[in-house]
Amino acid sequence: MRRPVIAGNWKMHKFIADSVATALALKPLVANANHCEVVIAPVFTAIKSVADRLEGSNIRVAGQDCAPEQKHGAHTGEVAADMLRDAGASYVIVGHSERRQFYAETDSMVNRKVQAAIAAELTPIVCVGETLAQRDAGLAERVVKGQIDGGLRELTVSDLERIIIAYEPVWAIGTGRTATPEQAQQMHAFVRRIVAEKFGEEASQRLRILYGGSVKPENIAGLMAQPDIDGALVGGASLEAETFAKIVNYNAT
Ligand code: PEP
């Protein structure tokens, strides 16, 4: 049985005070969400304050990125995975399409970040997904396979146990255009198949694969009903506590 994960990516939004206020507002709204792991990813500067205020709750904190380097040193502007852990994070988003698109992040950088996260005992949420042009050209599967081959290179089966993959079609991120549950399921099943080829069937059955791309309270239940969708990575709709809580509590009657 794969335990679902509902993760909110706050991107470059919210000062520390607002981050803490949103986290505190979320806390009682998801306190009974025993069916899933609840994760929020504030900006770096707010991680420690948010994590401190959430201590003892069922909400975990994620970084939105980490350095590919594991050894501390002369890497201006970077934050090491173990520094995120030190600040109270237990997950980290790696290879988000905005980082790939706007900050030239490559699969090999993603791979180093995944390894750094695992070494720091963080759970990496590794993002993959095709652009609209790639989908229209019939390349969606080839692109996603390349990102998985590159991003998970040289990992072991026991490394895989520590990883979550998020399938996020770029054309659905922040556009209001969600993949249909069937489109998402098809790609999730494909991801699981590739992972099975690389790491074995058993390991692939244990892997959590989240869907991301304009997830909202109105579409989460349909997505979660799919057999290979194990949760969601939520951007815009995670910024407001009530809305995000409705997504987390997708199974409430
Ligand atoms: C994201 O940034 O990972 C994302 C899925 O954003 P949104 O939910 O706003 O499409």
Side-chain angles (χ1 to χ4, degrees):
M1 214 17 209
R2 298 185 293 265
R3 185 167 159 78
V5 178
I6 306 289
N9 173 14
W10 289 355
K11 310 194 183 192
M12 199 173 76
H13 290 288
K14 297 182 186 291
F15 289 115
I16 296 171
D18 189 18
S19 299
V20 169
T22 307
L24 291 179
L26 184 64
K27 205 154 94 160
L29 301 177
V30 300
N32 295 323
N34 302 315
H35 60 285
C36 67
E37 288 165 29
V38 185
V39 181
I40 51 175
V43 291
F44 285 138
T45 49
I47 287 178
K48 170 96 177 107
S49 310
V50 167
D52 283 352
R53 302 299 294 273
L54 289 177
E55 223 176 292
S57 80
N58 61 336
I59 307 173
R60 299 284 167 269
V61 176
Q64 297 178 14
D65 188 26
C66 68
E69 291 81 16
Q70 296 184 32
K71 194 168 176 302
H72 298 179
H75 302 291
T76 303
E78 291 292 302
V79 179
D82 59 358
M83 292 169 177
L84 291 177
R85 173 115 212 139
D86 184 47
S90 37
Y91 297 72
V92 61
I93 298 168
V94 170
H96 190 279
S97 63
E98 286 153 16
R99 302 234 35 104
R100 294 176 186 266
Q101 218 178 330
F102 306 126
Y103 301 94
E105 199 155 296
T106 62
D107 291 329
S108 93
M109 281 163 75
V110 171
N111 180 248
R112 292 174 64 211
K113 291 179 180 196
V114 170
Q115 302 209 27
I118 293 170
E121 296 185 1
L122 293 176
T123 299
I125 301 175
V126 188
C127 302
V128 298
E130 79 287 356
T131 63
L132 187 58
Q134 289 164 335
R135 172 160 280 256
D136 287 346
L139 297 173
E141 292 191 349
R142 192 191 296 182
V143 168
V144 167
K145 180 175 185 321
Q147 290 170 336
I148 291 175
D149 286 343
L152 305 192
R153 210 162 66 88
E154 288 178 8
L155 298 191
T156 64
V157 170
S158 80
D159 290 335
L160 190 79
E161 303 270 343
R162 305 234 18 156
I163 286 178
I164 293 170
I165 289 183
Y167 167 65
E168 300 205 298
V170 179
W171 47 272
I173 295 181
T175 59
R177 185 180 159 188
T178 328
T180 63
E182 294 72 26
Q183 276 174 325
Q185 165 58 27
Q186 195 181 3
M187 288 302 287
H188 281 229
F190 174 71
V191 169
R192 205 177 297 288
R193 224 162 39 241
I194 299 172
V195 170
E197 281 164 18
K198 293 174 77 68
F199 297 95
E201 181 62 27
E202 216 180 295
S204 86
Q205 286 302 324
R206 282 199 295 270
L207 174 73
R208 271 103 46 100
I209 308 173
L210 315 186
Y211 169 79
S214 298
V215 172
K216 304 182 207 62
E218 298 74 37
N219 58 26
I220 182 69
L223 291 160
M224 291 305 294
Q226 300 299 315
D228 287 294
I229 299 184
D230 307 312
L233 181 54
V234 185
S238 70
L239 290 169
E240 210 245 331
E242 283 75 18
T243 309
F244 187 54
K246 282 186 192 149
I247 296 174
V248 169
N249 297 321
Y250 62 89
N251 61 343
T253 48

